[in-house]
Amino acid sequence: MSRFCVYLGSRDGRDPQFLEAARRLGTQLARRGHTLVYGGARIGLMGALADAAMAAGGEVIGVMPDHLVEREQAHRGLSELLRVRNMHERKAGMAAHADAFIVLPGGIGTLEEFFEAWTWHYLGLHDKPIGVLDTGGFYAPLLAFLDTTVEHGFLNARTRAELLDAAEPEALLDILEARLAERH
C-alpha cells in the first residue's frame, strides 16, 4: 500500500480529542495496510500515533536527527528508526519515504514541516497529496486564512484546492487514498 508521512506535535495538547484523533489515524493507517512515516518520538501526539499504528500491526518508520534523539525521546519500538544529522535531512528523509502527507495539531515545527511540503508541491518538486486533519476545528482559522490569501491574490485558487482537509481521520484517509489512486 502507501506510505503516509504525518506531521504532528510532540506534546499532547490540552484537548483529549487530539490524542484520540492521533490514535484513530494510527489505527486506520495500519488497518488499511499503509506505512506510517513520522518524526520518531515516543511522546505526545507523535507517540500516540505510532503506538496505535504498531498495536494494529502496522509498519512505522521514524526519522529523527541525532540532536533530538534524547530531547524528543526517540521511540525505541518502531519498525525502523532512521537517525539523521540534522532537521534538513529529517524533512528530506520523511518526504522521500512518503506517498502522501497528513498534518495533525502541533506547534511551530509541525507548521514549518507542513508548509515546506506544500511549497514543494506548489513548486512541482513532488505531486504527493497533502491533507490537514482539522480535529475539533484546530486548523479552521488557518484554513480560513489560506482562503483569505486567495481572496487577496497571494495564493492561487488551484494551489489552495490542492490542500485537502477533513475533520475525521477516516474521512481524510478516504480522500487521500482516492487522490493516490488517481495518480496511478
Side-chain angles (χ1 to χ4, degrees):
M1 296 304 287
S2 299
R3 291 181 170 192
F4 283 80
C5 175
V6 180
Y7 301 127
L8 71 171
S10 61
R11 297 180 182 186
D12 292 348
R14 291 195 175 111
D15 192 326
Q17 69 180 325
F18 301 142
L19 275 171
E20 178 57 28
R23 289 182 182 118
R24 282 174 50 203
L25 179 63
T27 299
Q28 284 298 310
L29 285 169
R31 286 185 180 162
R32 295 177 186 214
H34 301 302
T35 297
L36 166 63
V37 178
Y38 83 117
R42 67 173 175 83
I43 57 174
L45 298 184
M46 294 172 76
L49 173 74
D51 288 343
M54 290 185 301
E59 181 181 0
V60 179
I61 299 170
V63 183
M64 186 175 282
D66 291 323
H67 77 278
L68 289 181
V69 168
E70 294 307 319
R71 179 178 172 182
E72 288 192 351
Q73 301 179 33
H75 202 304
R76 305 293 182 186
L78 304 177
S79 307
E80 187 174 2
L81 178 64
L82 304 173
R83 290 181 68 158
V84 295
R85 291 180 299 173
N86 55 51
M87 292 299 286
H88 296 292
E89 288 183 11
R90 179 191 216 180
K91 291 183 293 181
M94 291 170 71
H97 283 85
D99 298 306
F101 299 91
I102 298 176
V103 184
L104 271 66
I108 60 173
T110 300
L111 290 170
E112 189 270 337
E113 291 168 329
F114 155 57
F115 277 110
E116 182 168 90
W118 193 24
T119 300
W120 290 350
H121 185 276
Y122 169 74
L123 295 173
L125 300 176
H126 70 77
D127 66 346
K128 302 169 185 180
I130 302 171
V132 174
L133 184 58
D134 189 23
T135 303
F138 180 84
Y139 281 115
L142 177 62
L143 296 170
F145 170 73
L146 294 172
D147 292 338
T148 299
T149 64
V150 173
E151 292 168 20
H152 288 282
F154 291 102
L155 179 66
N156 68 50
R158 181 171 180 239
T159 301
R160 172 62 181 92
E162 288 292 321
L163 181 62
L164 309 169
D165 66 90
E168 301 296 328
E170 297 81 2
L172 185 59
L173 281 175
D174 289 345
I175 295 167
L176 290 167
E177 287 171 336
R179 188 63 59 96
L180 285 167
E182 291 171 6
R183 291 176 51 210
H184 293 96

